[in-house]
C-alpha cells in the first residue's frame, strides 16, 4: 500500500482536483490511501473565523459565507449536475459550522479552534472522494478522527501511537481488500477518546501521511508538490536552485526542522523508524523522479540553505553578574516551554545566554515580561536565521552579503547565522 498526500496548493482549485484525479488514475493496481489538506488557503480563513467567533471581533457569519461560497464555486466546476448528492453532503457539513458559531465560545480557545478549523479537511476530502467516484476512480471516504487518536492538547494534539496503530489495523487495513482499493481521508486532524476533533499543528497533513504509513506498514509515501522535489534552497528567495535526488532521513529532519517548508519536520521520525521511503514529487510532472528520502548515509553534494525570517534574538543574563549556571538554565528553559516558544539557536557565555526564536507576537511579549523579573533581558528583532547544511565559505559569503552577523555557530556539517540587514 502507498500513501499519497495532496496539500492545499495541490487542491487549490478545480484543475487541482482534476490533476489529483489523473495522478491517482496512474496507479490502477495499487492500494492507495489518499490524505488531503483543506483547499488552498481555507485553513487560514477558518482561523480568521475562529478568532472572530471566539474574541467576538469581526463578522463571523460573513467570514463563514465566504468559505461556503468558495466551496460551492469549486463544486459548480467539478459537478455540473446540480442534483449531485455532494451538494447536500457539503451543505450538511456547513450546517455543523453554522451551529458551532451560533453557540457561545467555550472557555478554551484551542478547543474551539480545533472544532472549527478541522472542518476544512472534512470538506475537501468529501469533495475529492465524490469527484474521484464520479470519474470512476472508486474509493471510500474515511474519517481520520476515528484513526488518529490524540490527547486533548488542542491545536497540537499528541498522537497515541498504540491506539492509532490498533485503529488503523482494524478500521483501515481491512478496507484495502482487493488490489486497487482506494481510501480518501483527511490530513492534519485527529480525534480524542471522547470523539472530539483535534488538529496536529499547522501544515500537519504530511505528518498524517507518515502516521498512517507507520501504522499500516506502508510501502512508501508520496507527497505531491508544486516543486519538482526537495531543492537546495527555497525558490522564493533564490533562482539558482538545484533539485536533490536522494536525501537521508537525517538530512531531511535537519533541513525541515530549521525551516525548509517542503516537508513538515514531524513527518520523518515515523518513516525513519520503519524505514519507509518518502518521495517528494511534482504534481505537474508526476512521472518525473522527484526526491527520495530514505535510509542512506550519503552526504548532499551541494550546500543547502534555509532562511527563517522574523526572528528575535533574546539575551538573558543574571542581574547580579553571577554565572549562567545549571539552575538558571533550567528555569530559563522552563519559561520557554511554559510559553510554548520553540528555541531555534542557543549560545551561552559565562554570564549571558542568547536564544533565537520565531517572533510570535502572542507568545514572545509575555515570555520576555516574565524573564525580566529574574534576569536582565535584551533583545533584537526583525532578524533572519540562516542555516546552511554542508556549508562552505563561498556560500556563507553569498548569503550574508549586505547583512551583519549577530551570532554564528558552526558544527561539522551545519552553520547557523543570525543576521540583520545592514542599514
Ligand atoms: N490545512 C492545514 C494547514 O494549512 C494542514 C496542511 O495543509 O498540512 O495548516
Ligand atoms: Mg496547507
Amino acid at each position: 500500500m502507498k500513501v499519497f498526500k495532496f496539500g492545499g496548493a495541490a487542491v487549490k482549485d478545480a484543475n487541482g482536483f482534476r490533476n489529483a484525479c489523473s495522478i491517482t488514475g496512474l496507479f490502477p493496481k495499487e492500494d492507495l490511501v489518499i490524505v488531503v489538506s483543506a483547499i488552498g488557503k481555507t485553513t487560514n480563513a477558518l482561523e480568521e473565523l475562529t478568532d472572530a467567533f471566539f474574541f467576538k471581533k469581526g463578522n463571523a457569519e460573513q467570514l463563514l459565507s465566504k468559505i461556503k461560497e468558495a466551496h460551492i464555486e469549486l463544486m459548480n466546476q467539478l459537478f455540473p449536475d446540480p442534483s449531485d448528492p455532494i451538494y447536500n453532503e457539503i451543505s450538511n457539513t456547513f450546517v455543523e459550522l453554522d451551529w458551532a458559531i451560533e453557540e457561545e465560545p467555550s472557555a478554551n480557545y484551542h478547543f474551539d479552534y480545533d472544532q472549527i478549523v478541522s472542518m476544512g479537511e472534512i470538506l475537501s476530502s468529501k469533495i475529492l472522494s465524490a469527484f474521484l467516484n464520479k470519474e470512476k476512480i472508486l474509493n471510500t471516504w474515511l474519517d481520520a478522527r476515528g484513526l488518529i487518536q490524540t490527547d486533548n492538547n488542542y491545536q497540537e494534539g499528541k498522537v497515541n501511537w498504540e491506539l492509532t496503530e490498533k485503529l488503523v489495523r482494524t478500521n483501515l487495513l481491512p478496507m484495502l481488500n482487493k488490489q486497487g482499493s482506494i481510501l480518501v481521508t483527511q490530513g492534519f486532524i485527529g480525534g480524542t477518546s471522547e470523539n472530539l476533533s483535534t488538529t496536529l499543528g499547522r501544515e500537519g497533513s504530511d505528518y498524517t501521511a507518515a502516521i498512517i504509513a507507520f501504522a499500516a506498514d506502508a510501502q512508501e509515501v508520496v507527497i505531491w508538490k508544486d516543486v519538482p522535489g526537495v531543492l537546495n534552497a527555497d525558490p522564493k528567495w533564490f533562482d539558482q536552485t538545484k533539485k536533490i535526488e536522494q536525501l537521508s532521513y537525517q538530512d531531511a529532519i535537519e533541513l525541515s526542522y530549521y525551516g525548509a517548508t517542503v516537508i513538515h519536520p514531524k513527518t520523518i521520525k515515523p518513516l525513519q523508524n520503519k524505514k519507509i521511503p518518502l518521495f517528494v514529487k511534482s504534481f505537474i510532472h508526476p512521472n518525473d523522479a522527484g526526491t527520495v528520502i530514505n535510509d542512506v548515509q550519503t552526504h548532499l553534494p551541494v550546500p543547502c540553505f534555509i532562511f527563517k525570517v522574523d526572528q528575535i534574538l533574546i539575551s538573558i543574563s543574571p542581574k547580579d553578574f553571577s554565572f549562567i549556571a545549571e539552575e538558571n538554565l533550567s528555569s530559563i528553559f522552563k519559561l520557554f516551554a511554559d510559553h510554548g516558544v520553540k528555541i531555534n539557536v542557543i549560545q551561552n557565555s559565562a554570564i549571558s545566554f542568547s536564544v533565537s526564536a520565531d517572533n510570535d507576537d502572542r507568545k514572545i511579549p509575555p515570555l520576555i515580561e516574565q524573564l525580566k523579573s529574574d534576569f536582565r533581558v535584551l533583545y533584537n528583532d526583525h532578524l533572519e536565521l540562516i542555516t546552511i547544511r554542508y556549508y562552505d565559505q563561498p556560500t556563507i559569503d553569498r548569503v550574508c552579503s549586505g547583512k551583519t552577523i549577530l551570532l554564528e555557530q558552526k558544527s561539522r556539517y551545519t552553520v547557523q547565522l543570525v543576521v540583520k540587514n545592514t542599514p
Side-chain angles (χ1 to χ4, degrees):
M1 180 267 277
K2 296 182 200 283
V3 181
F4 281 4
K5 181 257 177 175
F6 293 102
V11 292
K12 69 176 194 297
D13 53 22
N15 277 338
F17 276 76
R18 291 188 191 106
N19 194 42
C21 176
S22 57
I23 289 175
T24 308
L26 295 174
F27 302 86
K29 295 212 167 68
E30 298 282 356
D31 284 341
L32 298 177
V33 176
I34 298 179
V35 171
V36 68
S37 298
I39 294 160
K41 301 271 178 234
T42 304
T43 305
N44 294 355
L46 287 165
E47 281 188 340
E48 259 186 76
L49 171 65
T50 308
D51 283 3
F53 161 70
F54 192 86
F55 300 111
K56 301 200 194 310
K57 59 160 209 218
N59 188 335
E61 281 86 32
Q62 207 178 327
L63 291 167
L64 180 52
S65 297
K66 271 206 194 141
I67 299 170
K68 278 185 200 170
E69 276 163 28
H71 284 79
I72 292 169
E73 152 94 28
L74 169 76
M75 288 191 295
N76 287 338
Q77 293 183 46
L78 295 174
F79 304 91
D81 175 2
S83 65
D84 194 294
I86 188 65
Y87 286 99
N88 248 331
E89 178 75 37
I90 293 301
S91 131
N92 290 339
T93 310
F94 273 115
V95 169
E96 284 180 48
L97 271 172
D98 290 331
W99 285 345
I101 67 163
E102 265 165 33
E103 285 180 30
E104 273 301 298
S106 76
N108 181 353
Y109 174 83
H110 308 288
F111 171 79
D112 285 359
Y113 176 105
D114 279 3
Q115 308 321 303
I116 293 173
V117 173
S118 59
M119 296 308 282
E121 269 69 10
I122 299 289
L123 292 162
S124 61
S125 61
K126 284 188 170 170
I127 296 174
L128 180 63
S129 170
F131 182 65
L132 291 173
N133 276 329
K134 183 173 88 68
E135 298 297 307
K136 307 278 178 293
I137 298 188
L138 299 187
N139 71 90
T140 309
W141 182 87
L142 256 188
D143 194 330
R145 295 169 296 190
L147 300 171
I148 295 182
Q149 287 294 294
T150 72
D151 64 5
N152 57 5
N153 185 19
Y154 295 104
Q155 272 198 272
E156 200 70 51
K158 226 174 126 220
V159 174
N160 177 334
W161 287 95
E162 224 171 283
L163 200 53
T164 299
E165 207 167 347
K166 222 190 244 161
L167 288 167
V168 166
R169 287 179 186 278
T170 50
N171 298 342
L172 181 146
L173 283 184
M175 299 183 74
L176 299 170
N177 48 10
K178 55 177 197 298
Q179 261 198 341
S181 300
I182 299 175
L183 303 173
V184 174
T185 193
Q186 308 80 46
F188 179 55
I189 72 174
T192 66
S193 51
E194 287 106 51
N195 276 327
L196 294 162
S197 304
T198 52
T199 62
L200 307 175
R202 284 302 307 264
E203 308 303 329
S205 295
D206 294 348
Y207 186 37
T208 301
I211 298 167
I212 292 176
F214 175 94
D217 284 318
Q219 179 195 332
E220 63 183 54
V221 173
V222 185
I223 298 182
W224 298 97
K225 302 273 307 179
D226 52 0
V227 285
V230 178
L231 305 175
N232 75 321
D234 188 334
K236 258 199 309 217
W237 309 91
F238 288 95
D239 43 11
Q240 284 169 8
T241 55
K242 292 200 182 81
K243 196 199 79 175
I244 297 163
E245 307 288 325
Q246 191 176 37
L247 198 61
S248 65
Y249 290 121
Q250 164 107 26
D251 282 339
I253 212 161
E254 294 281 352
L255 294 172
S256 59
Y257 182 79
Y258 287 115
T261 51
V262 65
I263 6 172
H264 190 284
K266 285 185 182 168
T267 312
I268 304 298
K269 180 181 182 289
L271 300 178
Q272 187 277 342
N273 288 176
K274 290 222 174 150
K275 308 276 183 270
I276 299 168
L278 169 64
F279 291 85
V280 178
K281 292 192 182 197
S282 158
F283 60 67
I284 303 155
H285 303 288
N287 292 316
D288 289 0
T291 297
V292 58
I293 299 166
N294 59 4
D295 192 28
V296 287
Q297 303 301 327
T298 47
H299 292 169
L300 293 180
V302 288
C304 278
F305 34 108
I306 302 144
F307 279 57
K308 242 178 189 273
V309 293
D310 209 8
Q311 296 292 297
I312 183 165
L313 185 64
I314 310 174
S315 297
I316 303 155
S317 36
K319 284 180 173 163
D320 58 0
F321 214 70
S322 60
F323 293 129
I324 278 278
E326 283 68 20
E327 319 77 85
N328 294 326
L329 285 175
S330 77
S331 72
I332 293 170
F333 280 125
K334 181 165 184 315
L335 283 178
F336 274 80
D338 290 349
H339 288 268
V341 174
K342 287 180 192 142
I343 294 174
N344 293 328
V345 196
I346 298 174
Q347 199 161 62
N348 71 318
S349 73
I351 55 162
S352 99
F353 178 74
S354 301
V355 166
S356 166
D358 296 354
N359 195 3
D360 181 326
D361 55 8
R362 283 204 194 167
K363 294 176 179 171
I364 296 286
L367 167 67
I368 289 182
E369 232 12 77
Q370 219 177 334
L371 282 166
K372 275 184 176 166
S373 59
D374 290 325
F375 301 95
R376 213 161 64 83
V377 181
L378 297 170
Y379 64 85
N380 228 313
D381 53 9
H382 302 295
L383 307 179
E384 280 170 25
L385 168 65
I386 305 175
T387 304
I388 311 173
R389 191 144 170 90
Y390 303 112
Y391 60 89
D392 55 22
Q393 198 53 44
T395 312
I396 296 179
D397 295 342
R398 180 176 161 209
V399 298
C400 291
S401 90
K403 298 181 180 186
T404 310
I405 300 174
L406 303 184
L407 183 157
E408 174 169 344
Q409 212 170 66
K410 276 185 180 160
S411 63
R412 197 148 133 217
Y413 298 120
T414 307
V415 63
Q416 292 201 284
L417 306 137
V418 179
V419 301
K420 73 168 175 210
N421 284 324
T422 313

